[in-house]
Amino acid sequence: LKREIATFKSELATKDSALVKENFDCRKERAQKEMLVDEVARLKKMILSNEDNIKTLELDVRQMNSTIRKLDETALLQRKEYDQIIYERDILGTQLIRRNDELALLYEKVKILQGILRRGELQYNS
């Protein structure tokens, strides 16, 4: 009987030791699980924040693309206007050259006519 009690005590001590170890392992696993849950929550929060940042950046990109399109349209209109102005300048330059040529011819005619008039006056007066 003493032997059986000693065996039971020994088994009880072994089982108690195993239970303490299991308890310790269980607490350790719970703590690790809690850390992982916290990490998952932190990562989810970071993902949501990053998704918000991505949406904001996509909106910025759309706005910038819209601005670029408007500026391209404005540049195109300004280029057309510039080309029109250059065309008109060239036409006016050509007209100016013609007018100068006509004016030069008229001055020549005036000189010739003045010369003829002077000669005629000289002949008339003499």
Side-chain angles (χ1 to χ4, degrees):
L1 187 64
K2 284 185 183 183
R3 225 167 138 204
E4 284 180 21
I5 292 177
T7 306
F8 285 137
K9 281 185 180 180
S10 171
E11 285 177 15
L12 183 62
T14 305
K15 287 182 180 180
D16 194 37
S17 164
L19 181 63
V20 167
K21 186 176 183 298
E22 283 296 319
N23 240 350
F24 177 76
D25 288 346
C26 184
R27 285 186 191 156
K28 186 176 170 184
E29 292 296 322
R30 281 185 187 154
Q32 189 173 5
K33 177 186 170 195
E34 201 56 40
M35 275 182 21
L36 291 174
V37 165
D38 291 345
E39 180 71 11
V40 167
R42 186 185 67 79
L43 290 174
K44 282 182 180 179
K45 195 181 282 186
M46 189 186 330
I47 287 171
L48 289 175
S49 173
N50 287 342
E51 286 174 349
D52 288 343
N53 288 341
I54 288 170
K55 287 178 184 175
T56 301
L57 291 174
E58 286 174 345
L59 179 64
D60 288 347
V61 167
R62 281 194 299 275
Q63 289 173 346
M64 287 179 189
N65 283 336
S66 174
T67 302
I68 288 170
R69 269 193 305 279
K70 288 176 185 175
L71 290 174
D72 284 344
E73 290 170 3
T74 302
L76 182 61
L77 291 174
Q78 288 177 347
R79 181 62 188 187
K80 287 179 180 178
E81 185 178 342
Y82 172 78
D83 290 343
Q84 181 64 31
I85 290 170
I86 295 299
Y87 176 73
E88 290 173 9
R89 181 205 64 184
D90 292 345
I91 289 174
L92 291 173
T94 304
Q95 288 175 350
L96 180 63
I97 291 170
R98 284 187 197 148
R99 298 292 186 268
N100 282 340
D101 291 345
E102 289 175 14
L103 188 60
L105 287 173
L106 289 175
Y107 279 132
E108 279 299 315
K109 286 181 182 179
V110 167
K111 283 182 186 178
I112 292 171
L113 290 174
Q114 283 177 344
I116 292 172
L117 182 63
R118 262 188 260 127
R119 278 184 261 142
E121 284 178 351
L122 285 175
Q123 285 181 356
Y124 179 76
N125 287 336
S126 36

